[in-house]
Amino acid sequence: MDEKPAKRIAAFIEPLRVEPGSRVDLAKDFDARYKARSLTKKHGVELLGATTALLADHQARLAAQDTYGVLVCLQALDAGGKDGTIRHVMSGVNPQGVKVSSFKVPSAEELGHDYLWRYARRLPARGEIGIFNRSHYEEVLVVRVHPENLDRQRLPPSAKAESVWDRRFREINDWEHYLSDNGFKVVKIFLNVSKEEQRKRFLKRIDVPEKNWKFSASDVRERRYWDDYQRAFSEMLSATSTRWAPWYVIPADRKWFARLCAGAVLVHTLIDIAPQYPTVGARKRKELLDVRRQLEDEWSPSLSSGRPSPSVSS
Ligand code: ATP
Ligand code: MG
C-alpha cells in the first residue's frame, strides 16, 4: 500500500503503545481525556470512515491469503465502551471473517479446566479476525481484585503460591509469543475511561429509557474497587506489554476518539502483516483463459434479440 497513510497511522498510535519493559502507573501516565490537539470530532469521524475502509480491504486479503490470523483483546472497566468500539470499528468488514467472543463469569464446565482453556477454544482461525470482548486478562484483573474467583478455580496448593500473578503474567506472555510465532498476531487494547466519565455514563443509563437495559447495579458496586482495578491494570500493563504483543492504552472519555484509535491500532497490525491475494501460476492462468474462451463461445441472451432462436428451442 501507499507508504504515507501507513506511516501516519504508525505515528498516530505510537503515544498509545506501552513500551515493553516499562513500569506503568495508569493514573499518572495515561490521561483518559487525551485527544490529538488539532483533531475535531467531525474530522475524527471522517478519519474513522477512512480507517474502516482500509480495514475492510485488508481483511478481505487476510481471508483470501488464509495464512495469518489476528486476535484483538479488548479490555475496559464497565461502561468503557467495548461494545460501541466493536460495532463502529468493524462496521465495514465482512462478518464471515470476524468472530466476536464475550467472556463472562466462567461456567462450571470452564472452571473444570485450566484457566486459559476457554480462551484457547475461541481463538480465530487463519484468515480470521477474532475479537475477545474481555479476554484472558480477566484472569489477572477481576480474579485478582476478587480473590474468591481464584478459590472457585480449584487450583492445587502449589499453583496458588504467592507468585500466582507473576506466574500468570509469564504464562500469558509465553502463550501469546507462541501464537505470534505461529502466524496469529495479538492486538491488545485497553479502553481507559476516567472515574468521572464512568459516573456520567452510568447516570445516562438511568436517565435515558433506551439505555435502561444496559444499567446494572452490580457495575456501580464494582466502582468501590476502582483503585484496586487501577493497580491491577497498571501491573498487568507493565508485565505483559511485549515486543510480540504490545498493549495500547486508549483514552476513552471521548467515544469518537477511542473508536478512531482502536481502528488505527487494528489497521496498523493488518498493514504490518501486509496480506496479499494469492496469485496463480502460468498453468492455472492458461486453464482460466481456456475456460474463459469456452464461456465466451456459449450462447448468451444479451447477444441475441432476447428470444431463443428456432434452432435452439425445440
Ligand atoms: P456488557 O455489560 O456491556 O454486556 P460485560 O462484558 O460487562 O458487557 P457482563 O455480563 O455485564 O458483561 O459482565 C461480565 C462479568 O464477568 C464482568 O463483571 C467480569 O468481571 C466477569 N468476568 C469475566 N471473566 C471472569 C473471570 N475469569 N472470572 C470471574 N469473573 C469474570
Ligand atoms: Mg457489564
Side-chain angles (χ1 to χ4, degrees):
M1 74 168 280
D2 188 355
E3 288 270 290
K4 252 180 150 177
K7 279 201 175 138
R8 249 185 283 145
I9 291 169
F12 179 70
I13 64 169
E14 182 54 30
L16 314 175
R17 196 172 65 98
V18 176
E19 185 60 25
S22 64
R23 278 223 67 79
V24 175
D25 179 342
L26 195 52
K28 262 201 0 238
D29 301 338
F30 292 95
D31 175 10
R33 280 201 65 73
Y34 169 86
K35 75 160 178 76
R37 223 179 316 144
S38 56
L39 202 62
T40 61
K41 180 172 178 179
K42 184 168 173 284
H43 191 204
V45 171
E46 280 165 17
L47 278 178
L48 179 60
T51 307
T52 47
L54 265 179
L55 195 59
D57 175 54
H58 279 75
Q59 188 235 356
R61 292 163 188 271
L62 188 84
Q65 190 181 32
D66 209 11
T67 304
Y68 295 94
V70 175
L71 171 65
V72 183
C73 300
L74 203 50
Q75 285 293 151
L77 284 169
D78 295 305
K82 291 181 277 105
D83 290 349
T85 300
I86 295 171
R87 216 172 38 246
H88 282 80
V89 172
M90 304 313 285
S91 60
V93 162
N94 179 351
Q96 289 204 80
V98 183
K99 201 163 73 179
V100 182
S101 306
S102 301
F103 295 98
K104 315 264 176 187
V105 176
S107 67
E109 188 196 13
E110 289 168 341
L111 286 171
H113 291 265
D114 63 278
Y115 74 95
L116 288 178
W117 180 78
R118 66 173 183 159
Y119 308 98
R121 295 177 85 205
R122 306 287 190 86
L123 286 172
R126 296 191 194 282
E128 282 182 348
I129 299 177
I131 299 180
F132 281 3
N133 182 352
R134 297 188 190 267
S135 68
H136 46 293
Y137 283 98
E138 291 295 336
E139 304 295 337
V140 290
L141 293 168
V142 66
V143 178
R144 189 173 190 177
V145 171
H146 298 286
E148 59 276 20
N149 287 307
L150 198 61
D151 298 336
R152 278 189 213 112
Q153 295 188 358
R154 307 200 305 279
L155 300 178
S158 60
K160 277 205 288 189
E162 277 291 284
S163 59
V164 60
W165 310 116
D166 285 339
R167 211 191 54 242
R168 285 196 171 187
F169 289 147
R170 176 171 49 77
E171 287 161 351
I172 288 172
N173 286 343
D174 287 348
W175 189 54
E176 293 175 357
H177 204 171
Y178 157 81
L179 290 172
S180 139
D181 280 351
N182 284 281
F184 296 92
K185 288 269 181 187
V186 183
V187 184
K188 302 186 301 203
I189 293 174
F190 169 50
L191 298 175
N192 184 29
V193 76
S194 69
K195 198 172 182 187
E196 175 55 12
E197 179 62 22
Q198 189 196 53
R199 189 180 73 94
K200 285 186 189 154
R201 290 186 189 174
F202 284 159
L203 283 173
K204 211 164 179 181
R205 288 180 181 183
I206 295 170
D207 294 343
V208 179
E210 290 78 15
K211 287 187 187 270
N212 283 174
W213 66 274
K214 271 203 135 212
F215 180 78
S216 146
S218 68
D219 288 355
V220 176
R221 279 196 298 275
E222 205 60 7
R223 255 170 87 76
R224 284 191 225 138
Y225 298 92
W226 183 271
D227 291 342
D228 295 340
Y229 273 108
Q230 296 293 302
R231 258 193 304 276
F233 269 110
S234 298
E235 290 213 13
M236 176 273 271
L237 293 166
S238 308
T240 62
S241 195
T242 55
R243 193 173 29 80
W244 53 91
W247 271 103
Y248 290 89
V249 177
I250 289 184
D253 276 12
R254 292 177 171 87
K255 287 182 179 174
W256 64 268
F257 188 66
R259 289 164 188 168
L260 176 62
C261 293
V265 168
L266 182 51
V267 157
H268 172 74
T269 307
L270 283 160
I271 291 174
D272 209 37
I273 296 174
Q276 305 293 327
Y277 287 113
T279 50
V280 296
R283 235 178 74 198
K284 178 81 183 165
R285 184 75 199 141
K286 184 178 171 303
E287 203 180 294
L288 289 177
L289 291 176
D290 286 346
V291 175
R292 184 175 205 289
R293 227 166 290 124
Q294 283 171 36
L295 288 169
E296 266 182 349
D297 290 347
E298 266 182 33
W299 171 84
S300 155
S302 63
L303 297 176
S304 73
S305 60
R307 304 182 73 200
S309 65
S311 61
V312 177
S313 60
S314 52

